[in-house]
């Protein structure tokens, strides 16, 4: 449950780079300071599973942020392929539908058992934090963002997955709909002293924790700081 997670373990640093040496160095420096590293499509496209293994050697749990979205069989195969890497978290898009999400969860559990690793949390992305209401209207998704997020969270829970990615602004509504044990992972987290960059629906780390997030993904406020370790420790201190 949310209350059992230590403040530092709630923070996963988004290491968005194609520079393998830099990613390994950053993960090594942050090990023991925060809860994990998020590696996204940019990194995975450049370095694949072997790159993930190299970063994982630093000791930080890995959130593989690949946001799989395809037909159920293809997504199940992709999740099955990456699960033996020993991931803490892997994700798909909730808009891929109920069957796709079910198959992803089943594939992760089966592959983990076969590989002798712990099954990762399989979570689903609801609405990207780079999108606001006008953006949703542009692509034909009418209605308040919070309503969309809750509906997708409920579908994700029905599929048997572990949780969702949502803006911290939707934590309260998603938590009310899905209960205390459903994992809520929140990007778009920005300390008050950091720039907002391209995120639109943002919340501070302190407020996100108070709202009940399980894991907050923080990238540039740490990775672009003069000293990433100092920046990470500053955020942890603000949560304590």
């Amino acid at each position: 449950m949310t209350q059992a997670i230590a403040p530092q373990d709630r923070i996963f640093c988004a290491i968005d780079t194609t520079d393998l040496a830099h990613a390994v160095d950053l993960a090594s420096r942050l090990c023991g300071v925060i809860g994990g590293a998020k590696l996204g499509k940019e990194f995975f496209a450049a370095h694949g599973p072997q790159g993930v293994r190299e970063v994982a050697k630093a000791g930080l749990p890995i959130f593989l942020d690949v946001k799989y979205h395809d037909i159920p069989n293809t997504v199940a195969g992709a999740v099955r392929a990456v699960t033996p890497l020993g991931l803490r978290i892997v994700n798909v898009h909730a808009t891929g539908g109920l069957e796709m999400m079910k198959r992803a969860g089943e594939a992760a559990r089966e592959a983990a058992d076969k590989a002798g690793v712990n099954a990762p949390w399989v979570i689903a992305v609801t609405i990207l934090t780079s999108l606001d209401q006008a953006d949703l209207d542009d692509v034909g998704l009418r209605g308040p963002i919070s309503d969309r997020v809750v509906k997708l969270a409920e579908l994700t829970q029905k599929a048997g997955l572990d949780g969702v990615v949502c803006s911290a602004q939707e934590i309260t509504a998603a938590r009310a709909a899905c209960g205390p044990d459903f994992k809520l992972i929140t990007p778009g987290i920005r300390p008050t002293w950091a720039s907002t960059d391209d995120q639109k629906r943002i919340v501070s780390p302190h407020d996100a924790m108070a709202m009940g997030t399980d894991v907050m993904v923080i990238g540039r406020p740490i990775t672009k700081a003069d000293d990433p370790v100092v920046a990470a420790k500053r955020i942890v201190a603000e949560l304590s």
Side-chain angles (χ1 to χ4, degrees), residues 7 12 50 52 62 94 102 104 109 127 132 153 171-172 220 226:
F12 272 57
Q50 186 55 40
V52 176
I62 301 296
K102 281 183 176 179
R109 292 186 290 271
I127 303 296
D132 59 17
I171 288 174
T172 301
R220 282 165 283 192
D226 291 337

Side-chain angles (χ1 to χ4, degrees), residues 49-189:
Q50 186 55 40
V52 176
R53 293 187 186 97
E54 290 300 315
V55 176
K57 288 177 183 177
L60 276 179
I62 301 296
F63 170 10
L64 187 60
D65 180 26
V66 282
K67 302 182 181 73
Y68 288 129
H69 188 174
D70 211 310
I71 63 173
N73 189 61
T74 297
V75 169
V79 171
R80 190 176 296 112
V82 299
T83 293
L85 295 171
L87 308 170
R88 174 67 58 83
I89 309 171
V90 67
N91 61 2
V92 301
H93 264 291
T95 49
L98 182 66
E99 183 62 22
M100 187 205 79
M101 289 193 286
K102 281 183 176 179
R103 293 282 299 279
E106 291 166 356
R109 292 186 290 271
E110 291 167 1
D113 184 64
K114 185 175 181 180
V117 299
N118 292 327
W121 294 353
V122 183
I123 62 173
V125 177
T126 53
I127 303 296
L128 296 171
T129 54
S130 59
L131 303 178
D132 59 17
Q133 191 64 57
D135 295 319
L136 259 65
D137 291 344
D138 285 344
V139 297
L141 294 176
R142 305 293 179 180
I145 287 179
S146 59
D147 291 352
R148 290 287 176 183
V149 169
V150 168
K151 185 173 181 63
L152 290 169
E154 290 174 333
L155 187 67
T156 300
Q157 190 172 49
K158 183 178 180 181
L161 298 193
D162 299 286
V164 293
V165 179
C166 65
S167 160
Q169 294 179 6
E170 288 91 51
I171 288 174
T172 301
R175 183 67 74 202
C178 298
D181 297 321
F182 193 66
K183 307 300 182 187
L184 300 180
I185 287 76
T186 50
I189 303 298

